[in-house]
């Protein structure tokens, strides 16, 4: 696996997992955690947060990292 994909999965995946946990804790006022786990929509939302984090946020973070590394070399 290339360095880019490793970085994207690490940075974007962490963001996705953080958002899933944050939204679950935020919704504890409305629904208990066990109800949230039983709801299939929760898993669909988690999938989209993680995929969005990996492909969008991870990509833009990678671009910034490459840009920063290139500017440090000059």
């Amino acid at each position: 696996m290339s360095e880019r994909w490793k970085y994207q999965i690490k940075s974007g995946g962490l963001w996705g997992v953080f958002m899933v946990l944050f939204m679950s804790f935020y919704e504890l006022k409305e629904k208990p955690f066990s109800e949230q786990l039983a709801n299939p929509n929760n898993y669909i939302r988690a999938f989209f947060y993680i995929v969005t984090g990996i492909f969008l946020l991870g990509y833009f973070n990678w671009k910034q990292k490459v840009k920063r590394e290139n500017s440090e070399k000059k």
Side-chain angles (χ1 to χ4, degrees), residues 5-71:
W5 281 107
K6 288 179 187 177
Y7 185 82
Q8 281 186 230
I9 290 171
K10 186 171 64 172
S11 66
L14 286 175
W15 178 85
V17 170
F18 172 77
M19 287 302 295
V20 168
L21 292 174
F22 178 77
M23 293 303 291
S24 295
F25 287 131
Y26 183 75
E27 289 182 354
L28 278 176
K29 298 174 187 174
E30 300 169 8
K31 288 190 253 181
F33 195 68
S34 59
E35 238 181 82
Q36 291 181 27
L37 286 176
N39 189 357
N41 289 335
N42 187 42
Y43 296 106
I44 294 169
R45 181 177 62 187
F47 173 77
F48 282 112
Y49 274 127
I50 293 170
V51 168
T52 301
I54 290 172
F55 286 103
L56 290 179
L57 188 70
Y59 175 75
F60 289 117
N61 283 346
W62 174 256
K63 287 296 213 180
Q64 287 296 326
K65 179 184 175 197
V66 169
K67 189 182 216 182
R68 184 175 57 244
E69 287 175 353
N70 286 341
S71 67

